[in-house]
């Protein structure tokens, strides 16, 4: 099982516009069991390189990074992860970056 860290951006969107879904968002612990394959997870490319996307439902997505993958590949600068965060979180941590509709998270 992986630990989790929630960014301010993720928490704002999950508790804001998607407040009614927040309890379900928190229960999606399957991502913490297997962040590489659960919920149709995929590694992103382009300006989101180093991050992963997973389905919450048909339109809503989680955007996150897996610390062990990010550190192994040297993607910290790509994912925007501050160095001090890498020093305080374990490798087996999933960092939840964004939550929202396909349009919201991909721009």
């Amino acid at each position: 099982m992986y630990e989790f860290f929630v960014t301010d951006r993720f928490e704002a969107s999950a508790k804001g516009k998607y407040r009614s879904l927040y309890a379900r968002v928190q229960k999606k612990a399957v991502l913490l069991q297997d962040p590489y394959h659960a919920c149709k997870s995929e590694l992103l490319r382009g300006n989101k390189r180093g991050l992963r996307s997973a389905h919450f439902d048909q339109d809503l997505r989680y955007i996150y990074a897996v610390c062990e993958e990010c550190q192994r590949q040297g993607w910290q600068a790509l994912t925007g992860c501050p160095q001090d965060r890498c020093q305080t979180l374990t490798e087996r941590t999933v960092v939840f970056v964004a939550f929202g509709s396909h349009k919201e998270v991909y721009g």
Side-chain angles (χ1 to χ4, degrees), residues 41-88:
S41 171
E42 63 181 354
L43 191 57
L44 300 176
R45 293 177 244 152
N47 67 344
K48 301 261 191 262
R49 186 171 167 224
L51 297 172
R52 290 186 161 272
S53 171
H55 291 242
F56 175 76
D57 63 17
Q58 188 173 356
D59 185 49
L60 298 175
R61 302 285 185 274
Y62 294 98
I63 302 296
Y64 63 97
V66 182
C67 289
E68 65 189 354
E69 178 179 50
C70 185
Q71 292 172 10
R72 186 174 53 240
Q73 298 295 334
W75 288 337
Q76 292 93 335
L78 294 172
T79 61
C81 219
Q83 281 295 336
D84 62 332
R85 185 181 297 157
C86 289
Q87 294 169 357
T88 58

Side-chain angles (χ1 to χ4, degrees), residues 3 27 40 83 85:
E3 297 176 24
K27 289 181 182 177
K40 299 183 181 178
Q83 281 295 336
R85 185 181 297 157

